[in-house]
């Protein structure tokens, strides 16, 4: 490792000579050298036993190990006897740390990236680093494993043939309701991360916007000692969580709309023609998106096509 990379603060003399390994029970397992690449390593979302053998070898063998919070990652490393030193990469230092990690890749080093829990790049700042690495021509290698959205989905009882992970809902009520309206007609199970302090308000908004009878599930503290799945209608769950204090990490799932509620192509065309008769094209597309939950961009393009077919300017 050259002096420039050592000066960047990622590698010290101890790390250059250390025997890289991880521990399974009382046995130390040597970690094989990694090819140069950015490794996106999924880590447990609660139960540390959910780590994969490939993830352990990657964390132990990487030249550079980047993480959101070194204290959180150190708990995992200590559990499995990994002495690789973690370095912080998060939204507050990404402008400074990101170029250093890219420089390591340029030098032919292996860089492993982990989030505090779950799969990197899912609702965390790792997306920026992954994107920059790809643009710079570096190999990006996913090391799959735990994922809160998928764990919640398979345990919720919601349809899993089609699903949409939509991250966090907006904090303010209007933004939250507008976002739910945008997604209201998506023919898939909706998956959201939510703060325990806002789950009651989000359920109330969802019941108002999507209909209180729509099925949902609140999944809390997944894989941990107090794991909980609470299932029911949006009205039932909204009432349960209205004034109830909630602790821990929460995933909210909402079932797809009934098939009869999803507008067909002909219905959409009729609606667009009606809207375009009384308002400009862009506004008609926006109103159509609000009413159907479909993409404004797609509706705008469809409306232009309909006008072209009718010979309108």
């Amino acid at each position: 490792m050259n002096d420039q990379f050592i000066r960047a603060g990622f590698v010290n003399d101890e790390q250059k000579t250390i025997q890289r390994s991880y521990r399974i029970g009382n046995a130390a397992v040597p970690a094989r050298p990694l090819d140069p690449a950015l490794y996106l390593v999924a880590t447990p979302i609660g139960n540390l036993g959910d780590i994969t053998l490939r993830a352990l070898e990657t964390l132990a063998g990487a030249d550079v190990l980047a993480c959101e919070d070194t204290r959180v990652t150190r708990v995992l490393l200590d559990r499995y006897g990994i002495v690789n030193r973690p370095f912080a990469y998060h939204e507050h230092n990404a402008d400074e740390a990101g170029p250093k990690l890219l420089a390591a890749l340029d030098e032919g080093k292996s860089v492993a990236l982990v989030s505090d829990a779950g799969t990197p790049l899912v609702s965390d700042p790792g997306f920026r680093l992954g994107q920059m690495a790809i643009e710079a021509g570096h190999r990006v290698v996913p090391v799959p494993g735990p994922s809160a959205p998928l764990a919640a989905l398979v345990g919720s009882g919601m349809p899993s043939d089609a699903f949409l992970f939509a991250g966090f809902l907006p904090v303010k009520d209007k933004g939250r309701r507008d976002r739910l309206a945008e997604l209201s007609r998506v023919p898939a199970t909706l998956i959201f991360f939510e703060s325990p302090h806002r789950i009651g308000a989000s359920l109330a908004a969802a019941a108002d916007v999507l209909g209180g009878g729509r099925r949902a599930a609140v999944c809390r503290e997944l894989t941990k000692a107090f794991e909980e799945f609470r299932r029911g209608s949006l009205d039932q769950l909204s009432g349960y969580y209205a004034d109830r204090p909630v602790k821990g990490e929460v995933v909210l799932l909402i079932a797809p709309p009934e098939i009869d509620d999803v507008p067909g192509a002909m219905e959409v065309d009729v609606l667009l023609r009606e809207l375009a008769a009384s308002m400009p094209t862009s506004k008609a597309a926006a109103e159509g998106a609000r009413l159907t939950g479909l993409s404004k961009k797609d509706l705008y393009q469809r409306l232009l096509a309909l006008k072209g077919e009718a010979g309108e300017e």
Side-chain angles (χ1 to χ4, degrees), residues 14-93:
E14 179 185 359
Q15 285 177 279
K16 288 189 291 181
T17 59
I18 201 161
Q19 177 64 43
R20 296 177 180 178
S21 64
Y22 57 97
R23 189 178 64 246
I24 301 296
N26 294 322
V29 182
R32 294 168 295 181
L34 297 174
D35 292 332
L38 173 63
Y39 295 84
L40 306 175
V41 186
T43 54
I45 59 177
N47 189 323
L48 294 184
D50 290 337
I51 192 75
T52 68
L53 293 177
R54 185 183 175 201
L56 290 175
E57 184 168 51
T58 303
L59 297 181
D63 293 321
V64 182
L65 173 55
C67 63
E68 280 188 87
D69 189 324
T70 58
R71 296 166 297 181
V72 172
T73 300
R74 175 50 62 192
V75 172
L76 177 64
L77 299 181
D78 289 346
R79 165 72 179 270
Y80 291 99
I82 297 173
V83 295
N84 204 349
R85 176 185 170 192
F87 299 92
Y89 173 80
H90 47 71
E91 60 181 338
H92 302 298
N93 76 343

Side-chain angles (χ1 to χ4, degrees), residues 222-256:
L222 291 169
T223 79
K224 300 177 184 177
F226 296 100
E227 177 180 88
E228 177 185 52
F229 287 86
R230 187 164 294 276
R231 308 169 183 89
S233 69
L234 283 171
D235 271 344
Q236 291 170 332
L237 292 174
S238 177
Y240 180 84
Y241 287 103
D243 299 310
R244 188 179 300 271
V246 179
K247 295 181 179 180
E249 298 177 344
V250 175
V251 183
L252 169 63
L253 296 95
I254 301 176

Side-chain angles (χ1 to χ4, degrees), residues 159-190:
S160 57
D161 55 335
F163 56 91
L164 171 66
F165 173 64
F168 284 91
L169 285 168
V171 174
K172 294 186 177 179
D173 186 64
K174 183 181 185 305
R176 183 187 299 127
R177 290 171 182 268
D178 288 346
R179 179 61 172 151
L180 287 167
E182 290 173 0
L183 300 173
S184 63
R185 301 297 184 183
V186 174
T189 296
L190 303 177

Side-chain angles (χ1 to χ4, degrees), residues 1 62 101 129 143 180 197 216 255 258:
M1 298 184 186
L101 294 172
L129 181 62
V143 181
L180 287 167
H197 308 295
E258 296 295 329

